[in-house]
Amino acid sequence: KARTEAVPSTPVPVEHAIAKSYKSLKFKPESSPLISIVIPVFNKHLYTFHCLKSILDNTSSELSYEIIVVDDQSTDETEKMLKTMSGIKVITNKEIQGFIRSINLGVEAAKGTYLMILNNDTEVQADWLNEMHQTFLEFPDAGMVGAKLVYPNGMLQEAGGIVWQDGSAWNYGRNGDSNNPDCCYARAVDYCSGACLMILRESFIALGMFDEHYAPAYYEDTDLAFKVRQSGKKVYYQPNARVSH
């Protein structure tokens, strides 16, 4: 009798497995959105996929929003992946612009009353966008709002930012317990990181948008926070908007 041996299956690359889900991301088109979510990307298409999927899964349908992805000349599967999705606006830079210029270009195409600036290496958690928006309603002097940033292991990355007298900066509570009571109430802060920021679109434009002096990136968020305060408003940290970064 012939001996039958099991033929080992060939592992499916994770990229191929996830690619089957690309078309499942269908966002509702909005002609007059309340919020414009601007996401700059450069390669790391799987980061972008999970970021977009987390938005789709964790954003209240009561809020109207649009998604603007600014592709900064990615050379991986980013372009192919984005073409399979519906209900998002994609801007492809003709040449590499960097983070700051990509955000500013995305803002020029935005229609929302509010801007939500979001990194593609983030995954948002339940009710995040509503909590960010609600902060402006609860604090009339709010000019800009940032989220609680946590590492994938759940440890705290940032509960608002501190700027010292010499201009150096630090993330409050970094590497600590993300559920520490000191990090679980909304309050005014020096700045919040640009990985997740909400601001009125007209305010962002009036304040000069992200200053290209800091191109390609870093400290532009701190600079904007100081301009917000100079305009008479405050920067708030919102712990109920939890974002993995």
Side-chain angles (χ1 to χ4, degrees):
K1 188 175 181 180
R3 180 181 176 186
T4 303
E5 294 184 357
V7 178
S9 59
T10 302
V12 178
V14 66
E15 291 85 356
H16 293 176
I18 295 178
K20 294 180 180 179
S21 301
Y22 287 166
K23 292 185 179 180
S24 67
L25 300 190
K26 297 181 180 180
F27 294 87
K28 179 183 176 183
E30 296 284 355
S31 57
S32 299
L34 175 65
I35 301 166
S36 296
I37 304 174
V38 180
I39 306 173
V41 304
F42 176 69
N43 293 332
K44 303 292 185 181
H45 67 288
L46 295 183
Y47 282 4
T48 303
F49 172 79
H50 285 290
C51 175
L52 292 170
K53 188 175 188 303
S54 73
I55 294 172
L56 192 62
D57 292 343
N58 295 294
T59 305
S60 171
S61 59
E62 297 177 0
L63 289 177
S64 63
Y65 65 92
E66 66 173 349
I67 292 180
I68 301 172
V69 177
V70 184
D71 183 4
D72 200 22
Q73 284 287 303
S74 295
T75 57
D76 62 356
E77 294 292 310
T78 294
E79 181 181 6
K80 180 180 177 180
M81 179 192 71
L82 293 175
K83 284 183 177 179
T84 67
M85 299 180 183
S86 62
I88 65 174
K89 183 183 297 182
V90 179
I91 297 172
T92 302
N93 293 336
K94 294 181 179 179
E95 56 185 37
I96 293 177
Q97 298 292 331
F99 177 83
I100 291 175
R101 293 192 180 101
S102 291
I103 289 289
N104 290 344
L105 287 168
V107 170
E108 290 177 0
K111 297 179 180 179
T113 303
Y114 294 87
L115 292 174
M116 182 75 246
I117 297 168
L118 189 68
N119 276 20
N120 72 322
D121 60 349
T122 60
E123 290 185 31
V124 302
Q125 299 184 19
D127 215 26
W128 73 292
L129 194 60
N130 183 61
E131 292 291 350
M132 295 286 278
H133 175 247
Q134 191 65 28
T135 308
F136 285 91
L137 305 182
E138 294 178 353
F139 298 91
D141 60 350
M144 188 164 71
V145 177
K148 175 186 282 189
L149 302 181
V150 297
Y151 291 111
N153 65 4
M155 297 298 286
L156 184 67
Q157 184 180 84
E158 176 187 312
I162 302 168
V163 179
W164 307 108
Q165 289 183 349
D166 63 357
S168 62
W170 186 248
N171 308 126
Y172 186 82
R174 189 168 185 170
N175 296 320
D177 181 359
S178 61
N179 294 315
N180 185 321
D182 288 344
C183 303
C184 292
Y185 64 95
R187 66 184 188 280
V189 293
D190 291 342
Y191 79 101
C192 287
S193 292
C196 184
L197 283 178
M198 180 177 276
I199 185 172
L200 283 164
R201 180 168 60 91
E202 63 178 19
S203 295
F204 187 76
I205 294 172
L207 295 173
M209 304 197 285
F210 276 151
D211 193 336
E212 296 186 5
H213 169 77
Y214 300 98
Y218 296 114
Y219 216 78
E220 74 286 340
D221 44 13
T222 310
D223 175 71
L224 181 63
F226 273 74
K227 290 177 180 176
V228 166
R229 290 207 303 275
Q230 287 173 349
S231 73
K233 296 289 187 177
K234 293 181 180 180
V235 179
Y236 277 90
Y237 156 70
Q238 177 51 261
N240 291 328
R242 193 177 173 103
V243 176
S244 176
H245 179 225

